[in-house]
Amino acid sequence: ILKAIEQPELPPLLLHGVTGSGKTEVYLQAVARVLENGQTAIVLVPEISLTPQTVERFKSRFADKQGEIAVLHSHLSQGERFDEWHKIHRGDAKIVIGARSAIFAPLENLGLIIVDEEHESSYKQDTIPRYHGRDLAVMRSRLEPCAILLGSATPSLESYQNTKRNKYQLIHLTQRADDCTLPLIRVIDMRMENRKHKGPAILSETLRKEIEGRLDRHEQIILFLNRRGYSNSMQCLECGHACECQHCSTTLTYHLSEQRLVCHICGYKQIAPRRCPNCKSNSVMYAGFGTERAEEVISKVFPRIRMARIDADVMQRKHRLKDTLRDFKAHKIDLLIGTQMIAKGLHFPNVTLVGILNADLGLHMPDFRAGERTFQLLTQVAGRAGRGELEGEVVIQTFSPHSPSVQFARHHDFEGYSEQELDIRQQFKLPPFTHACLIHVRSRHERLAEFALENLCQRLRKKLPDGIIMGEPNPSPLERAQGQFRFQVMLRSASSGNIMRYIKSVMRTMTFPEETLVLLDMDAYQLC
């Protein structure tokens, strides 16, 4: 890394370090060298939840330079963002820490860009302009020029394949710092658990006993469930009616604290009915569970437990997240339950047990990256355990115990998983062996959106160049969102430039109905 700082024309560096191997310490020492050289640095983190801890680590390491650290993310007020931006622009800031938009920070004399958890899909912006923070960081490092370091315990297959092509240089941290061992991971088949309980179980018997043991020994626990709310849906047992959003083709999630049914796509809310809106029956059932219900169950099973929940519902007040993590670090909280906000980057040495309540939530999505995301998430969450002197343990509850994503994560085997997944991707000409461009057509009128996309596809097929593979136009997996019907088609090619030039040349000759919106998403990360 020090060599790359002195010779910025060298290829980008990919640091593959197992969870708890000391990647943050590497970042701190690299930034220290950059500051000694009189240069500046940008540190990108994927989640706003990671920003407070990252800022705290940098401020404690560079205590004499605290005023030279600037923070940029979307939770800042307009005034705070204004002050931070001008601090950077005046040259008063030497280190900028933030989410994906921090890559645009107007730093001069840039010496190093660090992209932590480079595999995270949150680096990809899902609104116009649809840039990818990691890819933009690589591009900026070439333009400046400066050194760039991408770090992850589970690198994206795109970056990992770039090391095989010698576009990036791969460096390894294969062991945890201070000789800590990687946690033991146990997989619990929830199909068997449900047969024992004669119904859906939130906590398996194994996980319940493990939590009990940790509480007796005054150790801490993290439980992960990537779904907020109380229940996934509200359904009538008489007629089968499920309450759906008026604007999206998805069921409403029940939130007990608000007594409301909420759409997690558009934010629509309605009062939870006591009777079925369709047949007026009282036989209403709440199906599935989220963090709110899991919290309720755990508090009943362990009445004296000190517990906190971290998700988008409870972390709306400013500094609430920072305060909760500080209390957890001070051992004022025994158990932390939350969504992906707690899944990565957090370092708490007294956490010896991590429980993953439902590992299947993202596994069976209609997306070729679903397995990769699940493997990454399981590995990252598991990495929160055993980061101190005490050994850690992880309990994964799943209905798909034989899934490669689960089994490779169980053995901490990134190389094995990536080899198998890359082989499949190559056979089907999927990224990272091709670039994928997703064309979305949206309209409030279903037939109009469908007609516009079919018309565009007919034109594209007429003179489709060699080397471009075009799929069939279909409704999006989420067919309607925010009142708009959505249709899409995917084009793939080894060259992103070839795809974009061809699509634009065809679209220039076309006119679309006024009430339709056509969007191009190159290297799309969300296919739903």
Side-chain angles (χ1 to χ4, degrees):
I1 293 167
L2 299 180
K3 187 179 176 184
I5 291 169
E6 302 303 327
Q7 301 175 46
E9 67 278 0
L10 291 174
L13 300 172
L14 176 63
L15 175 61
H16 174 212
V18 297
T19 54
S21 58
K23 291 187 290 296
T24 304
E25 177 61 27
V26 172
Y27 302 156
L28 289 163
Q29 291 191 28
V31 170
R33 172 59 68 90
V34 166
L35 296 181
E36 284 173 17
N37 293 348
Q39 295 175 296
T40 59
I42 293 174
V43 181
L44 298 185
V45 291
E47 296 276 349
I48 293 163
S49 61
L50 295 181
T51 311
Q53 196 171 40
T54 306
V55 172
E56 187 182 317
R57 286 177 182 173
F58 273 81
K59 284 189 173 180
S60 63
R61 176 62 63 92
F62 304 107
D64 57 330
K65 296 183 173 69
Q66 286 196 15
E68 296 179 1
I69 298 174
V71 182
L72 290 174
H73 57 74
S74 60
H75 278 202
L76 297 176
S77 67
Q78 290 286 359
E80 287 171 329
R81 202 176 305 180
F82 179 89
D83 292 341
E84 293 294 287
W85 194 90
H86 278 281
K87 179 180 177 180
I88 301 164
H89 192 251
R90 286 194 307 267
D92 296 340
K94 303 299 179 192
I95 304 169
V96 174
I97 301 168
R100 61 176 178 254
S101 60
I103 192 59
F104 298 108
L107 274 177
E108 296 291 332
N109 195 20
L110 195 58
L112 175 66
I113 300 173
I114 293 169
V115 184
D116 191 24
E117 311 292 0
E118 65 84 31
H119 65 277
E120 275 295 317
S121 58
S122 54
Y123 280 123
K124 172 79 172 181
Q125 176 139 316
D126 57 3
T127 55
I128 297 170
R130 294 171 181 267
Y131 69 92
H132 197 298
R134 178 197 64 214
D135 297 345
L136 213 57
V138 172
M139 184 55 69
R140 182 168 180 179
S141 74
R142 290 175 185 167
L143 296 172
E144 291 286 336
C146 68
I148 179 159
L149 175 61
L150 313 176
S152 176
T154 53
S156 65
L157 293 182
E158 283 79 5
S159 295
Y160 192 63
Q161 182 63 17
N162 277 336
T163 65
K164 292 179 175 252
R165 293 170 177 160
N166 296 320
K167 286 186 176 181
Y168 294 177
Q169 185 181 342
L170 181 64
I171 43 181
H172 287 283
L173 285 171
T174 56
Q175 293 180 325
R176 282 191 153 185
D178 301 325
D179 296 322
C180 295
T181 56
L182 286 165
L184 171 72
I185 299 180
R186 297 161 72 183
V187 177
I188 306 298
D189 188 345
M190 293 305 286
R191 296 172 298 181
M192 304 298 291
E193 287 290 325
N194 286 353
R195 283 172 200 157
K196 287 183 201 172
H197 291 84
K198 296 181 181 177
I202 292 176
L203 283 180
S204 63
E205 191 63 25
T206 303
L207 184 54
R208 188 192 64 76
K209 286 178 180 175
E210 291 295 338
I211 293 172
E212 198 169 17
R214 286 341 190 259
L215 292 174
D216 291 342
R217 296 197 295 270
H218 303 289
E219 295 166 9
Q220 289 175 294
I221 305 126
I222 288 177
L223 295 183
F224 171 75
L225 176 63
N226 207 16
R227 178 174 280 157
R228 57 194 175 95
Y230 188 83
S231 292
N232 307 347
S233 63
M234 182 178 176
Q235 193 168 15
C236 176
L237 295 174
E238 292 288 331
C239 69
H241 174 77
C243 292
E244 293 190 350
C245 177
Q246 294 182 3
H247 314 289
C248 310
S249 54
T250 183
T251 54
L252 296 170
T253 302
Y254 178 57
H255 287 245
L256 180 66
S257 58
E258 299 179 58
Q259 293 286 312
R260 294 282 192 279
L261 293 172
V262 181
C263 176
H264 289 173
I265 304 296
C266 70
Y268 167 78
K269 293 183 181 181
Q270 70 176 51
I271 296 170
R274 294 185 179 180
R275 294 183 176 186
C276 171
N278 188 48
C279 70
K280 309 305 178 190
S281 165
N282 290 321
S283 304
V284 172
M285 176 188 73
Y286 292 102
F289 64 95
T291 49
E292 198 178 9
R293 188 173 176 200
E295 182 185 34
E296 181 188 77
V297 168
I298 293 159
S299 61
K300 286 178 180 175
V301 176
F302 305 102
R304 295 181 183 178
I305 197 167
R306 297 174 298 172
M307 180 169 49
R309 174 160 57 97
I310 290 183
D311 58 28
D313 297 324
V314 294
M315 292 294 136
Q316 291 178 358
R317 181 173 63 80
K318 198 167 184 182
H319 304 307
R320 177 78 180 268
L321 175 63
K322 188 178 178 181
D323 295 343
T324 304
L325 293 176
R326 187 186 62 230
D327 290 346
F328 191 63
K329 187 177 182 180
H331 207 160
K332 294 178 183 177
I333 297 167
D334 300 316
L335 187 147
L336 207 59
I337 181 168
T339 56
Q340 63 182 15
M341 295 172 80
I342 62 166
K344 58 193 84 72
L346 301 179
H347 178 76
F348 298 108
N350 200 46
V351 173
T352 58
L353 176 66
V354 167
I356 298 166
L357 299 185
N358 190 344
D360 307 310
L361 285 177
L363 188 58
H364 304 297
M365 302 284 284
D367 186 335
F368 65 85
R369 286 194 181 93
E372 181 188 359
R373 285 200 195 103
T374 300
F375 170 80
Q376 290 167 342
L377 202 53
L378 295 181
T379 305
Q380 293 285 344
V381 178
R384 301 314 105 207
R387 297 171 77 94
E389 294 177 4
L390 301 169
E391 288 189 8
E393 190 170 348
V394 181
V395 177
I396 297 177
Q397 298 184 168
T398 175
F399 291 92
S400 309
H402 303 298
S403 163
S405 300
V406 174
Q407 286 301 322
F408 280 112
R410 179 188 183 184
H411 295 102
H412 308 280
D413 187 3
F414 171 77
E415 280 79 10
Y417 179 77
S418 61
E419 188 179 330
Q420 177 180 302
E421 186 68 15
L422 285 170
D423 187 46
I424 294 168
R425 300 268 187 99
Q426 189 168 23
Q427 286 181 48
F428 290 95
K429 294 187 170 66
L430 291 167
F433 299 96
T434 56
H435 291 274
C437 179
L438 206 60
I439 303 177
H440 299 267
V441 177
R442 300 176 183 177
S443 174
R444 295 196 174 275
H445 306 284
E446 183 178 9
R447 188 69 194 98
L448 201 61
E450 187 178 16
F451 169 77
L453 182 61
E454 285 177 352
N455 189 25
L456 174 59
C457 289
Q458 283 178 6
R459 298 282 190 95
L460 288 170
R461 276 205 180 85
K462 276 184 182 176
K463 297 179 182 176
L464 193 67
D466 292 339
I468 295 181
I469 304 165
M470 185 174 167
E472 293 295 323
N474 281 302
S476 299
L478 181 65
E479 194 170 345
R480 187 167 173 249
Q482 298 175 335
Q484 291 190 321
F485 290 93
R486 298 140 51 95
F487 290 80
Q488 64 188 41
V489 66
M490 182 187 283
L491 285 84
R492 286 169 286 146
S493 172
S495 166
S496 59
N498 286 351
I499 297 178
M500 291 305 290
R501 280 191 294 272
Y502 180 62
I503 293 173
K504 286 179 178 178
S505 68
V506 172
M507 287 181 67
R508 283 192 202 102
T509 65
M510 295 181 64
T511 55
F512 293 94
E514 282 185 13
E515 294 182 33
T516 59
L517 179 66
V518 182
L519 300 168
L520 303 183
D521 189 1
M522 177 55 72
D523 294 325
Y525 264 67
Q526 296 293 337
L527 305 186
C528 299

